[in-house]
Amino acid sequence: MKLENKVAYITGGTKGIGLGVARCLLDQGMKVAISGRNWDGVEGAIKGLDANENVLGICSDVTVLGDEEKAVQQILDKWGQLDLVLANAGVGHFAPIDEMEEGKWHQMINTNLNGVFHTLKASVGALKVSEGYYMTLASLAGTNFFAQGAGYNATKFGVVGFTQAAMLDLRKYNIKVTTIMPGSVATYFNDNEPSEKDAWKIQPMDIGKLVVDLLQMHPRTLPSKIEVRPTRPDLK
């Protein structure tokens, strides 16, 4: 895929991985829409991206299908096409299963799992037209279970399975589908405050470079599931 003037939509794009990917795509000459649940966060992210005609900020809650449908329509109204969708929005709560709060369980299910479905449901028509690319941001927690991670594991195992099945459904339309499964990334996830202590972790721009590489891969080749982890976790 030639990237200049192609159009991307990134959910949860106001910070962390989503924002890092947005920066990399803009550097390639793409037009990028980012969404978040509140306008203050979206507006702040746009300012950090040196907002211009190649950036669109959208307020959308991925747990609501109607929000995602409106988001996609905004993109099509502005740029007339949609070539890449990265379903990146996610939350995490960690506790022993006997202590897991019902509200936190449902928030993870609604955001991490229902959200990727809503984003694809809203965008698949446009992706059929462009023969585009749909990516989900899963986690190594989508194959590796751990104590106090039952809720998060459930959602990320689900995201991996959902994405792989969607890949089989959509390949006949020449839509590529990939799930990216990172280990530790230097983001604000789980109340972390990125700093020098996170130098050993994957950086958001590293995921951005990976997304660019996937987009530039020959159409005949599809890396449908990618695990990526820090090289030296012993340095933490």
Side-chain angles (χ1 to χ4, degrees):
M1 181 187 292
K2 293 181 180 179
L3 302 188
E4 189 171 4
N5 292 320
K6 296 293 186 180
V7 176
Y9 174 40
I10 302 172
T11 68
T14 62
K15 59 184 179 179
I17 291 174
L19 191 58
V21 174
R23 288 194 174 103
C24 288
L25 299 182
L26 288 167
D27 287 345
Q28 295 294 318
M30 291 184 67
K31 297 175 171 65
V32 179
I34 59 172
S35 70
R37 286 176 294 177
N38 66 81
W39 180 247
D40 287 345
V42 172
E43 190 174 37
I46 291 172
K47 290 178 180 177
L49 292 171
D50 297 323
N52 56 47
E53 68 277 3
N54 288 335
V55 180
L56 174 64
I58 298 172
C59 192
S60 179
D61 183 345
V62 299
T63 69
V64 180
L65 175 59
D67 275 15
E68 285 297 272
E69 291 173 336
K70 291 175 184 176
V72 170
Q73 191 59 54
Q74 281 183 252
I75 295 166
L76 295 176
D77 288 344
K78 183 175 179 64
W79 290 314
Q81 65 190 73
L82 182 57
D83 305 286
L84 165 66
V85 175
L86 174 60
N88 168 72
V91 296
H93 301 293
F94 304 93
I97 192 60
D98 54 318
E99 299 175 15
M100 173 62 66
E101 298 175 18
E102 181 186 11
K104 290 182 177 179
W105 170 275
H106 286 296
Q107 185 188 27
M108 285 189 286
I109 295 292
N110 288 333
T111 303
N112 300 355
L113 190 52
N114 292 342
V116 299
F117 168 69
H118 291 158
T119 301
L120 179 57
K121 184 72 172 176
S123 63
V124 69
L127 292 175
K128 286 179 179 179
V129 173
S130 66
E131 297 187 347
Y133 212 135
Y134 176 76
M135 301 181 190
T136 60
L137 206 294
S139 168
L140 291 182
T143 55
N144 304 315
F145 52 85
F146 53 90
Q148 301 188 32
Y152 191 67
N153 282 142
T155 63
K156 292 303 184 178
F157 270 69
V159 170
V160 172
F162 168 81
T163 311
Q164 293 296 281
M167 177 268 295
L168 297 177
D169 289 338
L170 298 179
R171 64 200 311 183
K172 64 187 177 185
Y173 302 109
N174 292 322
I175 298 174
K176 283 189 167 187
V177 179
T178 296
T179 189
I180 300 172
M181 305 166 61
S184 298
V185 184
T187 70
Y188 296 89
F189 184 75
N190 198 28
D191 298 323
N192 181 60
E193 186 72 28
S195 68
E196 288 300 316
K197 74 180 186 302
D198 295 319
W200 64 275
K201 296 180 180 178
I202 301 164
Q203 302 298 307
M205 297 293 279
D206 300 335
I207 303 298
K209 177 63 165 59
L210 176 58
V211 171
V212 170
D213 289 344
L214 287 169
L215 291 171
Q216 292 179 328
M217 190 161 289
H218 196 284
R220 65 175 169 247
T221 302
L222 175 62
S224 59
K225 182 169 68 172
I226 298 175
E227 295 187 3
V228 55
R229 50 179 49 80
T231 304
R232 292 288 305 275
D234 58 307
L235 297 178
K236 61 184 175 182

